[in-house]
Amino acid sequence: MKLTDPAVKNAAPKEKQYTLYDSEGLFLLVMPNGSKLWRWKYRVGGVERRTSLGVYPKVSLRAARLERDRLQTELKKGVDPAVEKQALKAVERATGETFQLIAEEWHKKFRHTWADNTAKTVIERLQKDIFPYIGARPIREITPPELLAVIRRIESRGAVETARRDLQKCGEIFRYALATGRAERDIAADLRGAIAPPKKRHFASIHEPKEIGELLRAIDGYQGSPVTRCALQLAPLTFVRPGELRHAEWTEIDLEAEEWRIPAARMKMREKHIVPLSRQALEVLHELQPLTGGGRYVFPGARSADRPMSENAVLAALRRMGYEKGEMTGHGFRSMASTILHEQGWLSDVVERQLAHGDRNKVRASYNFAQHLPERRKMMQAWADYLEELRSH
């Protein structure tokens, strides 16, 4: 009996894949994940062969029959659909429909929506973990098990969060290819749940006043690079993200206005950010200016002034000072400030704005880089005074 539209639509997935037959070799393959794939079997020289006709519902029952009829006509002319498909794949390779070329096109199109560091990280991860294995493959040919094997390689080295993020980006690439007519579906969607979620991670931080005072005194006595020591001193006074701190540029610092204005391109939330500079923060910057003020970066790298400080510099300094992985991190200065400022009774909106956390109201977020600025100036100076008091005890 031939298939009907309701029968195709209502075909439910089972534990194992199964087949629903139509006529003249056309059949529907129903997968355990719910995907429905059109296939046509035919014979050439007495040998049975099969070819794909697309995915339901993008390809309807009627469209699948029409394609089967077209291929039957071609077969009578001596054109083997399998050979035709291989030729098409060769054309796809020649015209740039490989995963890598489509991914690079996707990255170029959407990189303006990310912070510069994020855009760089995305393409570097693809180049390292994805392209070597499926980059040269036509995107239409890649199967869910093939993509899963690539993601498992990342997971196997313990980088569970990276594996999860890379799978997410691959999904975005497949959906872009689907939207531009170069893929039949997003196969990454079939792998939902295949990667175990990473353990919830909290950045280690110190919150007890006595221990904070000890940390600040240890920073003042740090015997390593003076540039690193200044970075350690400025971190609790500004409580910006570690990447924002090490990429700070002198052109962003206005010592007279007592402000550090970070451009949107370097902010996680893609919104420019104002950091009011306390008297103590200005003292650190004045000390640093003769050392690095002639260059681009406030905290240049040890090997080249044309590059920012290493992302591990602050963390390594904390370890040299005796603070273990579970005690304190560069990111921990943010948690320290957030916890204590909230405990001291500062308005949550003021604290969260200074932490540059995202605003769910997209319209308001585009205007709020200077929101609560007078209150934030007052808070930042009070916070620096509080830290100075702890340091002196």
Side-chain angles (χ1 to χ4, degrees):
M1 183 181 295
K2 292 183 179 181
L3 288 174
T4 63
D5 286 323
V8 174
K9 181 179 180 181
N10 296 326
K14 298 179 181 180
E15 186 176 347
K16 294 184 178 181
Q17 70 179 47
Y18 66 96
T19 301
L20 295 176
Y21 290 97
D22 184 54
S23 61
E24 300 179 60
L26 177 65
F27 63 92
L28 184 72
L29 196 61
V30 184
M31 309 299 289
N33 62 10
S35 299
K36 300 174 183 180
L37 315 175
W38 291 113
R39 297 289 186 266
W40 180 53
K41 61 180 179 181
Y42 61 99
R43 288 183 176 275
V44 174
V47 178
E48 183 178 294
R49 296 185 180 181
R50 299 186 179 195
T51 189
S52 169
L53 303 186
V55 179
Y56 179 85
K58 184 177 180 181
V59 177
S60 67
L61 172 59
R62 180 175 181 275
R65 286 171 175 168
L66 290 173
E67 179 63 9
R68 174 204 59 196
D69 294 344
R70 185 189 71 81
L71 293 177
Q72 282 181 326
T73 300
E74 292 297 311
L75 188 60
K76 291 176 181 178
K77 296 177 181 178
V79 178
D80 184 341
V83 175
E84 183 183 46
K85 182 169 287 189
Q86 289 300 319
L88 176 62
K89 289 176 181 178
V91 171
E92 287 178 348
R93 291 187 180 96
T95 56
E97 295 196 357
T98 64
F99 181 88
Q100 180 170 342
L101 290 172
I102 292 174
E104 289 171 345
E105 179 184 319
W106 163 83
H107 182 267
K108 183 178 180 180
K109 187 174 183 63
F110 291 98
R111 65 169 297 152
H112 73 279
T113 65
W114 306 313
D116 290 345
N117 288 342
T118 301
K120 183 172 182 288
T121 298
V122 168
I123 194 64
E124 286 180 346
R125 282 178 175 171
L126 289 170
Q127 290 168 343
K128 175 185 176 183
D129 295 325
I130 309 297
F131 292 167
Y133 306 102
I134 60 172
R137 300 264 286 130
I139 199 163
R140 293 177 188 269
E141 289 186 20
I142 300 171
T143 64
E146 188 177 3
L147 178 59
L148 180 60
V150 175
I151 299 300
R152 288 278 191 232
R153 287 176 177 270
I154 306 168
E155 186 184 34
S156 66
R157 66 174 190 250
V160 179
E161 178 63 17
T162 298
R164 187 187 67 81
R165 289 180 181 273
D166 282 359
L167 178 58
Q168 182 183 55
K169 294 305 179 189
C170 285
E172 293 179 26
I173 293 164
F174 275 102
R175 289 194 292 277
Y176 174 73
L178 178 63
T180 55
R182 292 173 288 179
E184 295 181 346
R185 63 192 181 95
D186 169 19
I187 67 167
D190 295 345
L191 304 183
R192 286 177 187 147
I195 302 296
K199 293 181 179 179
K200 192 170 182 180
R201 181 171 60 121
H202 296 282
F203 291 104
S205 182
I206 293 172
H207 300 104
E208 291 299 320
K210 181 180 177 181
E211 294 178 356
I212 293 174
E214 292 173 353
L215 171 62
L216 296 174
R217 289 191 292 275
I219 289 174
D220 288 344
Y222 178 67
Q223 297 298 308
S225 162
V227 174
T228 302
R229 175 173 52 78
C230 286
L232 285 164
Q233 291 173 327
L234 205 59
L237 293 170
T238 60
F239 49 87
V240 294
R241 296 178 179 87
E244 294 158 5
L245 180 68
R246 71 186 188 89
H247 281 92
E249 299 183 16
W250 280 109
T251 55
E252 302 166 1
I253 306 291
D254 190 332
L255 296 175
E256 292 187 7
E258 301 179 352
E259 287 181 354
W260 172 16
R261 292 195 168 220
I262 309 177
R266 290 207 297 101
M267 295 299 297
K268 180 178 180 180
M269 305 310 297
R270 297 292 292 178
E271 177 193 339
K272 59 184 175 182
H273 184 52
I274 299 176
V275 182
L277 298 172
S278 62
R279 172 178 53 82
Q280 292 86 344
L282 289 168
E283 288 174 0
V284 174
L285 290 168
H286 281 298
E287 178 184 349
L288 194 58
Q289 197 171 32
L291 300 175
T292 68
R296 173 182 176 183
Y297 293 105
V298 177
F299 303 105
R303 296 182 179 180
S304 172
D306 295 328
R307 302 186 65 180
M309 171 186 287
S310 163
E311 61 181 337
N312 293 319
V314 168
L315 191 61
L318 287 169
R319 299 293 173 264
R320 286 183 61 185
M321 290 157 50
Y323 289 90
E324 300 297 331
K325 182 177 181 180
E327 292 181 284
M328 188 62 186
T329 65
H331 213 287
F333 292 110
R334 289 170 59 78
S335 175
M336 173 199 296
S338 177
T339 299
I340 295 176
L341 287 170
H342 277 105
E343 288 177 353
Q344 290 178 345
W346 292 94
L347 289 175
S348 181
D349 282 354
V350 176
V351 178
E352 295 301 307
R353 181 59 262 170
Q354 195 52 56
L355 285 163
H357 283 160
D359 192 329
R360 293 182 182 179
N361 184 319
K362 296 296 185 182
V363 175
R364 187 175 70 181
S366 64
Y367 297 101
N368 72 356
F369 68 93
Q371 189 179 33
H372 302 304
L373 189 55
E375 296 94 331
R376 285 157 53 197
R377 289 187 191 281
K378 182 179 178 181
M379 181 184 72
M380 295 297 277
Q381 186 57 60
W383 170 246
D385 292 340
Y386 173 74
L387 294 179
E388 189 170 54
E389 183 179 352
L390 293 180
R391 181 189 285 107
S392 64
H393 286 358

